[in-house]
Amino acid sequence: MYVAVKGGETAINNAHKLLADRRRGDRDIDALSLAQIKEQLALAVDRVMAEGSLYDRDLAALSIKQSRGDMIEAIFLLRAYRTTLPRFGYSQPINTGEMKIERRISATYKDLPGGQMLGPTFDYTHRLLDPDLAQDEATDEPVTRKPDVGRTQRVSEILANEGLIEDDGKNGHGAEEPGDITRTPTEFPMSRDERLQSLSRGDEGFLLSLAYSTQRGYARSHPFVGEIRIGEVDVEIEVPELGVSVLIGRVQVTECQMVNQFQGSAKVPPQFTRGYGLVFGQLERKAMAMSLCDRALRARELGEDIVAPAQDEEFVIAHSDNVQATGFVEHLKLPHYVDFQAELGIVRQMRREYAETNDAVSSMIKEAAE
Amino acid sequence: MNIQADYNFAYLDEQTKRMIRRAILKAIAIPGYQVPFSSREMPMPYGWGTGGVQVTASIIGPDDVLKVIDQGADDTTNAVSIRAFFAKVARVKTTTHTSEATIIQTRHRIPEEQLRDGQILVYQVPIPEPLRFLEPRETETRKMHALEEYGLMHVKLYEDIATHGHIATTYAYPVKVEGRYVMDPSPTPKFDNPKMHMSEALQLFGAGREKRIYAIPPYTNVVSLDFDDHPFEVQKFDKPCAICAAEGVYLDEVILDDQGSRMFVCSDTDNCESRQAAGHRGELSGMEAAQ
C-alpha cells in the first residue's frame, strides 16, 4: 500500500505540542520556577552559560527549563540567542589577580600568601546519598568571615619572581583587540587567544577525556595545579568618549593555572610552562581540563613532537564544540533517500556485475575441467 | 525578568547579513572557491541547513518568494520547518512552484524544471571540501586548492574504475568550476550535476558548521570530473514515474508492501504535481485516489 509522505506541517505542529506537554509533565506537580533552577541547579546554569558563551543566569535557567534538562539543547538555545545580540565592543581584560575569591587552592605549595580557601567544594564530601535532601530539610547557615580586600598574589607570580616559569605570553595578534572566534572564521593554525576561546566554550566531556588522555601517556606534560581560583571579577569597558574604563558589572569565573615541566630547548632554558583555563561560573573540572588541553596544544609552539590526539589542534578544536557536533551527528535523522537511492542503484549494479563475473569464471573452470 | 524576544527581519542582524553578503560577493567573483565566513549559530541545529539558512537570510528581501525543498520535495519535515521559519521571521511569500520562486533553498536536489535568469538556488552543504575524505586536514586541502593539486581526486576516481570497472561515486560527485576549482556540489545525486552547467540561475552554497560559502555565477562552466575512456554518466531509470509518467527525471523508490514490491515516483514533487495537473498519468496514478 502506497502511503504518500505528506502532512509534514501538521506532524511538526503536533510533535511540538506533545513536546510541550511532556516538558510540563504531571500538571498536579508544581512547575519549576527559574529562580529554583538558578538557585538550586546553579552548576548546571554555570555550564550552560560557559558553553553557551553568554553570562546570563536567567536566560540559562530558562533554557534549562525549556530543554527539559538536556544540557546540550540548553547550551544550543542560549547560543542561538546570543548570536543575535549586537556587539558594542570588547571589555578590558578581566583581572583575576583582583578577584573577589570564594575558593582558591594550590597543589604546589602547602601554604602561601592569601592562604588555601576551600570554598563550596564537593572535594571532601563522602559520596553517600543523603535521604534528608529528599525533603526540604532546614540547612544551616554557612560559616563565613570578612573577605580579604585587595589582590591575592598568583602562584605563577611566586614562580616568576625566581624566573622559573615562562611569561604570561603576548596577545597572538600583537594588537590591542583580541581575536574573536564568533566574528572571524576559524583558520588553522589558530592563535592562542582564539584557541583558548574555543576551549572555553568547548564541550566539558570532550575536553575532560582529552585532558585525561594526556595524563595516561598520550602527550604527557607532568602537570601540577599551580592554582585554581573561583570568584567574582569586575568587567570594565573603555568608553572612548570619556577616555576612562567604566565598570559595567561583575561575573563569576573559574581560573586554573596548570604548571608543567619543560625540558628547555636551544632557545629557552629549562623552566615551567603553563596551561591556562578560564570559564564562566564555578566549573572547576572544565577549567582544569581546559588548561591541560591548552598546554598539550602548545606542542608546536614549544617545539615538542606532536604524537597524540590532544596535541592536534585541528582535531581538538574542530570537534570540541558540542552544538556543532550534536547538530551534525543528529542530522543523520533527516531524510537522505535521494542519496540512498543513488547508492541503492550502484550496489545493485555492482552485485549484478559480481554475479556475472562469478558465472563467467565458474563456466570457464567448468570448460577447463571438461 | 525582562526577556527580549524581538528579532530583526530574517532573524540575522544587519551587520551579520552584510558580512555574509561580502562573502557571497567574493564567492561569486571566484567561482567554486570556498570563502571562509564567520558563521553564526542559528535557531536550528548544525547539519540541518544552517549554512543555507544564513545565505537565504542575508539575500532575502520583503518582495522575494521563497521555495524550500528537501530531497526534491516541498513537504518533507525539514523543508516545511525552514519555510515556516522564513514565513515567520521575514514574513515573505512562500511557494511550492519552482517557476514562481525567486529564491529556492534546497537540500540534496536541483529542481527538474529549468531555472531561469534572476532566480537564486541556495544549497545546504554539510561538508564543503571535496577533498575532505581524501585528506582530513584543512591546512592541507587549502594548500591543494591553492596549488590546483587535484591529482589525489583523479587517483580516487581511477581506483574506483580499477576496482569496480566504473566510478562508484553516485552523489556529491566532484565538479570543476570554470576550469579552476574542484568543488563539491553538496550531496545531490550526480544526476543533477549537468543542471549546474551554464545555469541561468545564480547558485549559492552555504556550509554553516564548516563556515564556508561558495558560488557558481550564472552561465558558468561546470564539468563533472571523468576520464576520456570513462566519460561521466548520470543515473538512468528503467521506468518512468509511476504517477506522472515523467521520463528523464530523478525517481525515488517507494516500497509498497512487505512482499518487496515497489514503485518509482518523482523526487521533485512540484514537477510531478504540475505534470499531473497537465493530465499526465502513470501506471499507478490511480492508486492514491483509490486508497
Side-chain angles (χ1 to χ4, degrees), chain B residues 11-189:
Chain B
Y11 182 77
L12 293 172
D13 60 281
E14 293 303 316
Q15 280 167 307
T16 297
K17 287 188 201 170
R18 225 168 310 170
M19 174 273 292
I20 293 173
R21 286 196 288 257
R22 276 198 295 267
I24 292 172
L25 286 175
K26 182 169 179 181
I28 293 170
I30 318 172
Y33 171 74
Q34 301 166 52
V35 182
F37 79 111
S38 59
S39 174
R40 301 292 195 252
E41 281 90 0
M42 296 302 284
M44 53 280 289
Y46 286 111
W48 302 55
T50 54
V53 171
Q54 287 181 77
V55 168
T56 300
S58 304
I59 59 172
I60 203 164
D63 300 331
D64 275 309
V65 180
L66 179 69
K67 171 182 164 83
V68 184
I69 52 174
D70 185 343
Q71 315 289 306
D74 296 277
D75 56 3
T76 38
T77 46
N78 203 41
V80 169
S81 162
I82 291 172
R83 195 166 52 240
F85 175 72
F86 281 109
K88 184 173 174 184
V89 298
R91 295 173 295 280
V92 291
K93 211 179 141 209
T94 61
T95 182
T96 58
H97 299 303
T98 301
S99 56
E100 279 177 15
T102 56
I103 300 172
I104 303 169
Q105 181 167 329
T106 179
R107 176 168 173 265
H108 295 191
R109 274 311 309 277
I110 299 174
E112 305 290 1
E113 189 179 330
Q114 199 191 330
L115 300 179
R116 46 161 224 282
D117 189 13
Q119 287 183 305
I120 301 177
L121 186 60
V122 178
Y123 295 74
Q124 302 172 197
V125 182
I127 306 271
E129 178 51 72
L131 305 169
R132 179 60 68 242
F133 298 109
L134 306 172
E135 167 54 61
R137 267 168 214 290
E138 183 67 15
T139 36
E140 287 300 314
T141 52
R142 283 188 80 80
K143 215 177 289 169
M144 289 159 79
H145 283 294
L147 300 173
E148 217 173 331
E149 208 180 274
Y150 295 129
L152 207 56
M153 181 62 88
H154 284 105
V155 169
K156 193 259 165 197
L157 297 177
Y158 170 75
E159 281 177 350
D160 270 5
I161 294 171
T163 317
H164 309 296
H166 47 77
I167 293 170
T169 304
T170 56
Y171 62 92
Y173 190 103
V175 293
K176 196 161 205 180
V177 182
E178 205 57 30
R180 176 58 179 84
Y181 284 98
V182 165
M183 190 198 89
D184 184 307
S186 88
T188 50

Side-chain angles (χ1 to χ4, degrees), chain A residues 165-177:
Chain A
I165 195 165
E166 63 176 334
D167 290 339
D168 250 337
K170 299 270 181 303
N171 183 341
H173 296 264
E176 284 298 302
E177 283 215 338

Side-chain angles (χ1 to χ4, degrees), chain A residues 94-280:
Chain A
I94 56 169
N95 186 350
T96 52
E98 304 279 354
M99 180 187 285
K100 205 178 138 204
I101 290 172
E102 186 172 38
R103 170 169 165 80
R104 185 260 195 148
I105 53 161
S106 168
T108 52
Y109 294 99
K110 185 175 180 188
D111 197 7
L112 66 169
Q116 308 259 16
M117 287 170 59
L118 291 185
T121 176
F122 289 116
D123 284 354
Y124 305 101
T125 61
H126 293 136
R127 270 61 169 201
L128 303 172
L129 288 174
D130 179 2
D132 287 351
L133 280 180
Q135 273 82 46
D136 185 14
E137 292 291 309
T139 305
D140 295 338
E141 286 304 309
V143 183
T144 53
R145 66 173 166 89
K146 270 207 163 145
D148 295 329
V149 278
R151 120 178 259 289
T152 307
Q153 187 181 37
R154 291 194 186 93
V155 168
S156 56
E157 288 162 352
I158 301 173
L159 289 166
N161 288 342
E162 262 190 89
L164 292 175
I165 195 165
E166 63 176 334
D167 290 339
D168 250 337
K170 299 270 181 303
N171 183 341
H173 296 264
E176 284 298 302
E177 283 215 338
D180 186 343
I181 56 164
T182 69
R183 287 297 180 271
T184 43
T186 314
E187 277 188 57
F188 295 109
M190 287 176 120
S191 60
R192 191 166 173 216
D193 49 349
E194 291 169 323
R195 206 164 63 205
L196 287 168
Q197 283 173 33
S198 300
L199 292 174
S200 188
R201 58 156 56 185
D203 183 75
E204 179 173 313
F206 180 72
L207 296 182
L208 176 67
S209 296
L210 281 172
Y212 177 46
S213 74
T214 69
Q215 290 180 283
R216 291 194 63 262
Y218 293 85
R220 184 142 183 253
S221 64
H222 307 270
F224 298 93
V225 170
E227 183 174 6
I228 292 168
R229 49 171 72 190
I230 303 173
E232 290 196 334
V233 292
D234 291 346
V235 179
E236 295 182 356
I237 56 162
E238 192 143 323
V239 183
E241 293 85 348
L242 303 178
V244 290
S245 290
V246 177
L247 177 69
I248 56 166
R250 291 190 180 82
V251 294
Q252 187 194 33
V253 295
T254 303
E255 181 186 55
C256 174
Q257 294 236 33
M258 206 61 87
V259 175
N260 305 75
Q261 201 187 75
F262 181 54
Q263 306 289 348
S265 65
K267 287 181 216 154
V268 190
Q271 61 179 342
F272 291 111
T273 52
R274 313 174 193 225
Y276 189 72
L278 184 78
V279 285
F280 281 152

